[in-house]
Amino acid sequence: MKRNVAVAVAAAVLAVGVGLGAFAVTRAASAAPAPAPIAYNGAVGWHQARARPPVIYLAESNVFVRTPYWSAWSGSSARASGKLFVNTCTPTCAAGHYRTYRAQVSLWRVAVRHGVRYFSRMRIRYWHGGQRDYVYRWTVLPGATIPGWNGGPSA
């Protein structure tokens, strides 16, 4: 009789232990990490693009960078190599031609808008008679209604 009670107690302890273990695993699985930030292409304001916006527009369509793939994408930064296209706007932007440059694109500084995490800073590094760095913020300029990548040469 004592042996049956001991076995029953051991079985109950084991069942409670397994149940608590399952509860702990379930809690850990439900505490999933925050979703990866998204990037905005700059052409249509807050339109979202996941980790692969193939084109990032700056200054409407006269300057843009194509990023065929991202070499790194984490919760805090992203990097890609691509090609920068710059319209000569000679004699006019409509009649101009595009010059291309190899470029590196970096995204960082995560911000949140309406619960969506996004990269709010971007650097474009390219070579034209030497290395050039441009830094941009995803923001709405005063008097504007649509956000975009705004910035210029870094100091």
Side-chain angles (χ1 to χ4, degrees):
M1 179 77 171
K2 284 185 181 180
R3 183 180 165 137
N4 288 344
V5 170
V7 169
V9 169
V13 168
L14 181 61
V16 169
V18 169
L20 289 175
F23 175 76
V25 169
T26 303
R27 290 291 293 169
S30 67
I38 55 106
Y40 293 103
N41 70 9
V44 286
W46 288 109
H47 177 72
Q48 299 177 16
R50 178 56 181 101
R52 204 175 161 260
V55 178
I56 300 172
Y57 291 96
L58 313 160
E60 297 176 12
S61 62
N62 291 319
V63 181
F64 61 92
V65 62
R66 286 191 179 161
T67 54
Y69 68 93
W70 293 89
S71 57
W73 192 279
S74 72
S76 60
S77 65
R79 287 187 315 277
S81 293
K83 192 172 278 193
L84 178 67
F85 291 76
V86 180
N87 191 339
T88 61
C89 289
T90 304
T92 66
C93 290
H97 300 287
Y98 283 94
R99 291 201 175 147
T100 60
Y101 305 92
R102 288 180 312 129
Q104 294 175 342
V105 179
S106 302
L107 300 170
W108 76 98
R109 195 171 290 170
V110 175
V112 178
R113 179 178 181 266
H114 299 306
V116 175
R117 299 174 71 235
Y118 67 96
F119 290 118
S120 65
R121 298 292 187 274
M122 176 174 62
R123 170 177 279 121
I124 295 179
R125 176 173 286 160
Y126 71 100
W127 293 263
H128 175 72
Q131 179 178 305
R132 298 183 185 204
D133 288 319
Y134 282 67
V135 177
Y136 299 90
R137 289 181 17 204
W138 181 255
T139 186
V140 178
L141 292 176
T145 57
I146 298 174
W149 290 110
N150 299 292
S154 62

